[in-house]
Amino acid sequence: MNLTWRNTLRGAAAATLACGATLAHAHTGHGATSFLQGLAHPIALDHLLAAVAVGLWSARALPANRVWQGPAVFLLSLVAAALAAQAGFALPFVEQGIALSVLLSGAMVVLACRGVTPQPAHGLVPVGAAAVLHGLAHGAEAGGASFAAYAIGFLATTALLHATGLSAGFTLQRLRASLARRIAYGLGAGFGAAGLYLLAA
């Protein structure tokens, strides 16, 4: 990797970690009920990075006609888990699990860059599992009266973040293969580093 790209990736990783102190768990808090609160909730760093990473992984690892499956599995699992949380279902250590999901998402991107990709169905299992943890957090912080509006909000933002990751993956496909691989590898490593930071925060 040339010096310019190395410095760019280092700068991006540093910026990500610097943002972590204020955004790592910047959730809207219990009792969120509005559409706007739903839109804002996935902007917390842990949710944001995981959603973007799912899109990037899907573009890098899934066949061209199946890239939609990563975001679809995440969104469906997300809303199902949020509904379960509304019904009273809970798991211990959800925040730590969410941080681990960011680390795992980064590892999946790195492995995809190295050509290590499982069968698509197998790769979608950790995507769905990560979404369950994120959905439990979303649902636990929702007020019951306006849950539908809140859910539409967080689904819309999450879908937009998936689209951002997919767009980045498609853009990389138009670059020279070796350069695209290095950039994607750096992004995956950055996600992984952020996951480690969130675990320690």
Side-chain angles (χ1 to χ4, degrees), residues 54-124:
V54 166
L56 180 58
W57 173 82
S58 298
R60 297 290 299 180
L62 296 177
N65 63 339
R66 299 179 67 178
V67 294
W68 58 272
Q69 292 181 344
V73 166
F74 194 97
L75 291 170
L76 289 172
S77 301
L78 185 74
V79 72
L83 287 168
Q86 279 282 285
F89 180 77
L91 290 174
F93 308 113
V94 168
E95 290 294 344
Q96 291 86 346
I98 289 173
L100 279 173
S101 77
V102 177
L103 175 61
L104 175 62
S105 298
M108 290 174 66
V109 172
V110 169
L111 290 173
C113 294
R114 296 174 65 89
V116 182
T117 55
Q119 292 295 320
H122 297 161
L124 293 174

Side-chain angles (χ1 to χ4, degrees), residues 118-179:
Q119 292 295 320
H122 297 161
L124 293 174
V125 170
V127 168
V132 166
L133 295 169
H134 290 265
L136 289 174
H138 288 325
E141 298 186 15
S146 302
F147 176 74
Y150 174 70
I152 291 170
F154 71 67
L155 286 171
T157 298
T158 303
L160 180 61
L161 293 171
H162 288 328
T164 300
L166 285 169
S167 178
F170 295 148
T171 299
L172 291 176
Q173 290 174 3
R174 294 194 288 268
L175 301 178
R176 190 173 72 252
S178 60
L179 176 60

Side-chain angles (χ1 to χ4, degrees), residues 2-21:
N2 63 40
L3 183 60
T4 300
W5 277 114
R6 184 179 294 112
N7 289 338
T8 298
L9 293 174
R10 285 176 177 170
T16 296
L17 294 175
C19 289

